[in-house]
Each structure stands twice: as structure tokens, then as C-alpha cells.
Amino acid sequence: MAQTEKKGGLLRKSSASKKPLKEKVVLMYDEIFTTEDPSKCNPRFWEELFLMKVNLEYLEGKLEALDGEELMKIKDNINCLFQHCIQALGEDHPIRVVNALQVLR
């Protein structure tokens, strides 16, 4: 069995026959970095996102890798992310508040 690895959001090193596993939060971040609205297929997307432990290394890497043109294509999703972070700060659920603060960091 492959050794578990957490770097870059991967949970397992790839082998010849298997794709690397990614954390669910990383898969959700990837959805934010597409031109589609991530809540279109999953209406609870934002609620679920803020219940998961933040992977700042991965999120920062994705943001830093964008050029201006790419950023403009996903501007609406990035704005939604920050809007939902602000909304989560007003919630009673402490995990959501902490995770939103970490994303805003």
C-alpha cells in the first residue's frame, strides 16, 4: 500500500494503476477555480466547505498560480468565496467561523 502523503492536498502517492487521492476540501477548492458556479450542482457547497479543515497551502498555491486573465475568468467564484467567508463569520457554529477566518487570512 502506498504511503499516505498530505503535501499539496494529496492523500496518496500515485502508482501505475491508481490515481492519487485528494482531500475533499482540495476537490472543493478546485471547483471554485473553474468558471462554473460550484453551488450549481451542490446547493450545500458553501456550508460543507466551511465545515472542513482549511488547506491553506493548497489554496494559496492555487491563487498565486493564477495570472490576470485566469483570475478574471473565475472572479465571480472568488467573490462568492469571500462573500460566504464573511457570512460564515456571523454564524454560531465555531468550526465554520474559524475556517472562514483562516481562508480570509
PDB file of all heavy atoms in Angstrom, residues 88-104:
ATOM      1  N   ALA A  88     -20.108  33.398   7.010  1.00  0.00           N
ATOM      2  CA  ALA A  88     -19.790  32.356   8.000  1.00  0.00           C
ATOM      3  C   ALA A  88     -19.290  32.964   9.306  1.00  0.00           C
ATOM      4  O   ALA A  88     -19.466  32.372  10.375  1.00  0.00           O
ATOM      5  CB  ALA A  88     -18.756  31.387   7.430  1.00  0.00           C
ATOM      6  N   LEU A  89     -18.684  34.132   9.242  1.00  0.00           N
ATOM      7  CA  LEU A  89     -18.201  34.790  10.461  1.00  0.00           C
ATOM      8  C   LEU A  89     -19.336  35.137  11.413  1.00  0.00           C
ATOM      9  O   LEU A  89     -19.130  35.213  12.624  1.00  0.00           O
ATOM     10  CB  LEU A  89     -17.415  36.067  10.123  1.00  0.00           C
ATOM     11  CG  LEU A  89     -16.106  35.866   9.378  1.00  0.00           C
ATOM     12  CD1 LEU A  89     -15.481  37.216   9.069  1.00  0.00           C
ATOM     13  CD2 LEU A  89     -15.150  34.996  10.165  1.00  0.00           C
ATOM     14  N   GLY A  90     -20.530  35.315  10.891  1.00  0.00           N
ATOM     15  CA  GLY A  90     -21.682  35.650  11.719  1.00  0.00           C
ATOM     16  C   GLY A  90     -22.449  34.448  12.233  1.00  0.00           C
ATOM     17  O   GLY A  90     -23.465  34.614  12.917  1.00  0.00           O
ATOM     18  N   GLU A  91     -21.990  33.261  11.946  1.00  0.00           N
ATOM     19  CA  GLU A  91     -22.701  32.051  12.365  1.00  0.00           C
ATOM     20  C   GLU A  91     -22.354  31.669  13.804  1.00  0.00           C
ATOM     21  O   GLU A  91     -21.343  32.103  14.349  1.00  0.00           O
ATOM     22  CB  GLU A  91     -22.367  30.891  11.420  1.00  0.00           C
ATOM     23  CG  GLU A  91     -22.914  31.104  10.028  1.00  0.00           C
ATOM     24  CD  GLU A  91     -22.764  29.873   9.150  1.00  0.00           C
ATOM     25  OE1 GLU A  91     -22.520  28.774   9.674  1.00  0.00           O
ATOM     26  OE2 GLU A  91     -22.896  30.034   7.928  1.00  0.00           O
ATOM     27  N   ASP A  92     -23.201  30.829  14.373  1.00  0.00           N
ATOM     28  CA  ASP A  92     -22.981  30.351  15.739  1.00  0.00           C
ATOM     29  C   ASP A  92     -22.054  29.144  15.779  1.00  0.00           C
ATOM     30  O   ASP A  92     -21.585  28.778  16.843  1.00  0.00           O
ATOM     31  CB  ASP A  92     -24.321  29.964  16.389  1.00  0.00           C
ATOM     32  CG  ASP A  92     -25.196  31.176  16.637  1.00  0.00           C
ATOM     33  OD1 ASP A  92     -24.636  32.276  16.847  1.00  0.00           O
ATOM     34  OD2 ASP A  92     -26.434  31.030  16.616  1.00  0.00           O
ATOM     35  N   HIS A  93     -21.815  28.525  14.637  1.00  0.00           N
ATOM     36  CA  HIS A  93     -21.005  27.316  14.576  1.00  0.00           C
ATOM     37  C   HIS A  93     -19.523  27.695  14.607  1.00  0.00           C
ATOM     38  O   HIS A  93     -19.006  28.267  13.648  1.00  0.00           O
ATOM     39  CB  HIS A  93     -21.331  26.544  13.293  1.00  0.00           C
ATOM     40  CG  HIS A  93     -20.937  25.112  13.334  1.00  0.00           C
ATOM     41  ND1 HIS A  93     -19.632  24.699  13.383  1.00  0.00           N
ATOM     42  CD2 HIS A  93     -21.692  23.990  13.352  1.00  0.00           C
ATOM     43  CE1 HIS A  93     -19.590  23.389  13.402  1.00  0.00           C
ATOM     44  NE2 HIS A  93     -20.829  22.934  13.387  1.00  0.00           N
ATOM     45  N   PRO A  94     -18.804  27.378  15.715  1.00  0.00           N
ATOM     46  CA  PRO A  94     -17.409  27.833  15.852  1.00  0.00           C
ATOM     47  C   PRO A  94     -16.454  27.275  14.796  1.00  0.00           C
ATOM     48  O   PRO A  94     -15.504  27.960  14.397  1.00  0.00           O
ATOM     49  CB  PRO A  94     -17.004  27.378  17.247  1.00  0.00           C
ATOM     50  CG  PRO A  94     -17.990  26.337  17.643  1.00  0.00           C
ATOM     51  CD  PRO A  94     -19.249  26.618  16.873  1.00  0.00           C
ATOM     52  N   ILE A  95     -16.702  26.073  14.308  1.00  0.00           N
ATOM     53  CA  ILE A  95     -15.818  25.497  13.290  1.00  0.00           C
ATOM     54  C   ILE A  95     -15.911  26.304  12.000  1.00  0.00           C
ATOM     55  O   ILE A  95     -14.902  26.605  11.369  1.00  0.00           O
ATOM     56  CB  ILE A  95     -16.143  24.003  13.047  1.00  0.00           C
ATOM     57  CG1 ILE A  95     -15.763  23.189  14.285  1.00  0.00           C
ATOM     58  CG2 ILE A  95     -15.434  23.473  11.804  1.00  0.00           C
ATOM     59  CD1 ILE A  95     -16.171  21.742  14.225  1.00  0.00           C
ATOM     60  N   ARG A  96     -17.122  26.670  11.618  1.00  0.00           N
ATOM     61  CA  ARG A  96     -17.295  27.473  10.403  1.00  0.00           C
ATOM     62  C   ARG A  96     -16.631  28.840  10.546  1.00  0.00           C
ATOM     63  O   ARG A  96     -16.010  29.336   9.602  1.00  0.00           O
ATOM     64  CB  ARG A  96     -18.775  27.650  10.089  1.00  0.00           C
ATOM     65  CG  ARG A  96     -19.395  26.411   9.513  1.00  0.00           C
ATOM     66  CD  ARG A  96     -20.769  26.722   8.954  1.00  0.00           C
ATOM     67  NE  ARG A  96     -21.279  25.539   8.299  1.00  0.00           N
ATOM     68  CZ  ARG A  96     -22.453  24.997   8.551  1.00  0.00           C
ATOM     69  NH1 ARG A  96     -23.250  25.535   9.435  1.00  0.00           N
ATOM     70  NH2 ARG A  96     -22.835  23.917   7.905  1.00  0.00           N
ATOM     71  N   VAL A  97     -16.762  29.433  11.726  1.00  0.00           N
ATOM     72  CA  VAL A  97     -16.158  30.754  11.962  1.00  0.00           C
ATOM     73  C   VAL A  97     -14.638  30.670  11.849  1.00  0.00           C
ATOM     74  O   VAL A  97     -14.003  31.470  11.158  1.00  0.00           O
ATOM     75  CB  VAL A  97     -16.585  31.312  13.339  1.00  0.00           C
ATOM     76  CG1 VAL A  97     -15.808  32.582  13.666  1.00  0.00           C
ATOM     77  CG2 VAL A  97     -18.091  31.571  13.372  1.00  0.00           C
ATOM     78  N   VAL A  98     -14.038  29.684  12.504  1.00  0.00           N
ATOM     79  CA  VAL A  98     -12.578  29.526  12.469  1.00  0.00           C
ATOM     80  C   VAL A  98     -12.090  29.249  11.052  1.00  0.00           C
ATOM     81  O   VAL A  98     -11.108  29.849  10.593  1.00  0.00           O
ATOM     82  CB  VAL A  98     -12.126  28.406  13.439  1.00  0.00           C
ATOM     83  CG1 VAL A  98     -10.680  28.027  13.216  1.00  0.00           C
ATOM     84  CG2 VAL A  98     -12.354  28.841  14.876  1.00  0.00           C
ATOM     85  N   ASN A  99     -12.769  28.364  10.348  1.00  0.00           N
ATOM     86  CA  ASN A  99     -12.347  28.035   8.980  1.00  0.00           C
ATOM     87  C   ASN A  99     -12.502  29.232   8.046  1.00  0.00           C
ATOM     88  O   ASN A  99     -11.649  29.463   7.185  1.00  0.00           O
ATOM     89  CB  ASN A  99     -13.113  26.822   8.465  1.00  0.00           C
ATOM     90  CG  ASN A  99     -12.677  25.545   9.149  1.00  0.00           C
ATOM     91  OD1 ASN A  99     -11.584  25.461   9.704  1.00  0.00           O
ATOM     92  ND2 ASN A  99     -13.532  24.542   9.141  1.00  0.00           N
ATOM     93  N   ALA A 100     -13.570  30.013   8.214  1.00  0.00           N
ATOM     94  CA  ALA A 100     -13.732  31.209   7.397  1.00  0.00           C
ATOM     95  C   ALA A 100     -12.620  32.213   7.678  1.00  0.00           C
ATOM     96  O   ALA A 100     -12.093  32.832   6.754  1.00  0.00           O
ATOM     97  CB  ALA A 100     -15.109  31.832   7.661  1.00  0.00           C
ATOM     98  N   LEU A 101     -12.264  32.375   8.940  1.00  0.00           N
ATOM     99  CA  LEU A 101     -11.172  33.278   9.298  1.00  0.00           C
ATOM    100  C   LEU A 101      -9.856  32.833   8.672  1.00  0.00           C
ATOM    101  O   LEU A 101      -9.079  33.659   8.199  1.00  0.00           O
ATOM    102  CB  LEU A 101     -11.020  33.353  10.829  1.00  0.00           C
ATOM    103  CG  LEU A 101     -11.987  34.268  11.556  1.00  0.00           C
ATOM    104  CD1 LEU A 101     -11.863  34.047  13.062  1.00  0.00           C
ATOM    105  CD2 LEU A 101     -11.754  35.704  11.188  1.00  0.00           C
ATOM    106  N   GLN A 102      -9.618  31.536   8.657  1.00  0.00           N
ATOM    107  CA  GLN A 102      -8.376  31.022   8.071  1.00  0.00           C
ATOM    108  C   GLN A 102      -8.330  31.280   6.565  1.00  0.00           C
ATOM    109  O   GLN A 102      -7.277  31.610   6.026  1.00  0.00           O
ATOM    110  CB  GLN A 102      -8.202  29.533   8.372  1.00  0.00           C
ATOM    111  CG  GLN A 102      -7.831  29.277   9.806  1.00  0.00           C
ATOM    112  CD  GLN A 102      -7.603  27.811  10.080  1.00  0.00           C
ATOM    113  OE1 GLN A 102      -8.060  26.945   9.333  1.00  0.00           O
ATOM    114  NE2 GLN A 102      -6.900  27.522  11.145  1.00  0.00           N
ATOM    115  N   VAL A 103      -9.458  31.134   5.901  1.00  0.00           N
ATOM    116  CA  VAL A 103      -9.496  31.392   4.457  1.00  0.00           C
ATOM    117  C   VAL A 103      -9.240  32.871   4.197  1.00  0.00           C
ATOM    118  O   VAL A 103      -8.515  33.235   3.272  1.00  0.00           O
ATOM    119  CB  VAL A 103     -10.842  30.941   3.832  1.00  0.00           C
ATOM    120  CG1 VAL A 103     -10.982  31.443   2.403  1.00  0.00           C
ATOM    121  CG2 VAL A 103     -10.968  29.426   3.870  1.00  0.00           C
ATOM    122  N   LEU A 104      -9.808  33.738   5.019  1.00  0.00           N
ATOM    123  CA  LEU A 104      -9.641  35.177   4.838  1.00  0.00           C
ATOM    124  C   LEU A 104      -8.237  35.652   5.183  1.00  0.00           C
ATOM    125  O   LEU A 104      -7.828  36.718   4.762  1.00  0.00           O
ATOM    126  CB  LEU A 104     -10.658  35.941   5.693  1.00  0.00           C
ATOM    127  CG  LEU A 104     -12.096  35.852   5.231  1.00  0.00           C
ATOM    128  CD1 LEU A 104     -13.022  36.465   6.261  1.00  0.00           C
ATOM    129  CD2 LEU A 104     -12.270  36.525   3.879  1.00  0.00           C
TER     130      LEU A 104
END
